[in-house]
Amino acid sequence: MSTASVPPVVVIGAGPIGLAAAAHLSERGLNPLVLEAGHTAGTAVHDWAHVRLFSTWGEIVDPAAEKLLAPTGWSKPDTGTYPSGGDWIEHYLRPLAAVLGDRVRYGARVTGVSKAGRDRIVDADRDTQPFVVHVQHADGREERILAAGVIDASGTWARPAPAGGSGLPALGERAAADRITYRVPDLTDPAVRDRYAGKRTAVIGSGASAFTALAALAELARSHDGTATKTVWVLRRGISGSTFGGGDADQLPARGALGLAAKAAVDDGHAEAVTGFRTEAVERDTDGRLALVAEDGRRLRDVDELIVLTGFRPDLSFLSEVRLRLDERLQAPVELAPLIDPNQHSCGTVYPHGHRELSHPDPGVYLVGMKSYGRAPTFLAMTGYEQVRSITAALAGDTEAADRVDLVLPETGVCGGSGLFDTADVPEAGTGCCTTPAPQPVQLITVSPGSATTSGGGCNA
């Protein structure tokens, strides 16, 4: 029987992990169908095309995809260099999508996944029924596709977390949308650069995206057209020796360097840190500038622009009719959640995992890539490639290959992960299971109701 007459395995999303899944399915002789809501491969990556990855080319090209590309004359970029998001698209994602051809459909948004003839509550013959995938096309046409399996690689990019410290939008956050972005701004774009040059910008967040924004704004402040550019770094927790990542101890050197660049922005006075600040409201002062109000009543005044980089969330709405087993906190598969939970996960890395950790009560449906991490941060592309290698082997009936581990991940060089933001007992540098640079004095700003004053140096836990 030809693969054309067999229900496809539907892959949701034509990003790096979705396209890798299609490559592995093709290698296994299965029939992939990639449904992409956008109009090109790597739609989400386009939004951060200006950002340089902290993984090298050698770590972001999937082996099965490389095999698929080889007959076309494609040559792998220098494995030791660091591409930007735009490079990733131009030299890998777009060629890979082209090789997959009509197995990738654009402008096709998945609006629902279920079992054919069975809603969520029906048990009878459930496991024998194919999946049914409902699709809304860009031209308004609707389609119903039967599928042998569903691999959701749609990511979390479309659902950034809000500024509000409670997980809900801060009061006034939506009304201040003209002054807020939830992305790292592209300061090479003249219009975007003008928006932030000479302004006072608040950056909320403590991960790699926040580090990137801090470093970029510091570079703007050092430039001839960035005079008077100021940044306020708003953290919900305190600052410790591990706040800026692993530094020189990180086995992903570019990731370590990014944290050091953010630290330099603070040390050099280009960014002031406000700690323990959980935003409750965003208000407009009489002069039109913004004021951030914390849950404890502190006010951060004179903010021209706000960059909110507090993470992302999975969209589970179109999966409401399939049976998933998700962790109640992270919204990640329950077997995976303990391995990635930032409330518990400490040194080292998440060990490589596959179909068993990613399975659900409805066999054959999988969340992969960033979507599989739910609300947890620090996902690596190579982790997603290992996920889809294992899953496609399982779908092909090759349990031995599905259970095998084909990946060794680099050490993060960070103790404590992102940690509990309320914790006071952050491990001291040089203790525990890994070593990070010793805590260094940073300039802190203490905000009290109605004022903003700078306090002396020192680390505030």
Side-chain angles (χ1 to χ4, degrees), residues 343-363:
N343 291 298
Q344 301 175 9
H345 189 59
S346 57
C347 271
T349 62
V350 179
Y351 72 75
H353 53 277
H355 74 111
R356 295 196 183 277
E357 292 86 351
L358 298 169
S359 64
H360 293 282
D362 273 339

Side-chain angles (χ1 to χ4, degrees), residues 237-240 275-276 421-426 428 444 458-461:
R237 298 178 294 156
I239 290 181
S240 71
T275 59
F421 64 75
D422 284 322
T423 190
D425 56 344
V426 179
E428 292 295 327
L444 298 181
C459 285
N460 183 0

Side-chain angles (χ1 to χ4, degrees), residues 6 31 45 81-82 143 148 174 192 197 211 229 279 360 371 378 424 454:
V6 176
N31 181 22
V45 182
T81 59
Y82 296 91
E143 184 179 8
R174 294 187 180 94
V192 177
F211 291 170
T229 300
T279 306
H360 293 282
K371 185 77 171 272
T378 62
T454 302

Side-chain angles (χ1 to χ4, degrees), residues 15-18 20 48 53-55 59-60 88 152-156 207-209 252 255 312 332-333 336 340 342 345 349-353 358 367-388 391 407 409-410 412 418:
I17 310 305
W48 52 270
L53 283 76
F54 50 62
S55 296
E59 297 158 338
I60 61 170
W88 205 9
D152 183 358
S154 60
T156 58
S209 294
L252 290 176
R255 180 171 56 189
F312 297 87
L336 176 61
I340 61 176
H345 189 59
T349 62
V350 179
Y351 72 75
H353 53 277
L358 298 169
L367 313 185
V368 300
M370 194 66 238
K371 185 77 171 272
S372 72
Y373 271 41
R375 298 188 180 205
T378 62
F379 177 80
L380 295 175
M382 64 182 83
T383 299
Y385 296 157
E386 175 67 2
Q387 288 177 341
V388 297
I391 286 168
L407 174 66
L409 289 168
T412 64
S418 7

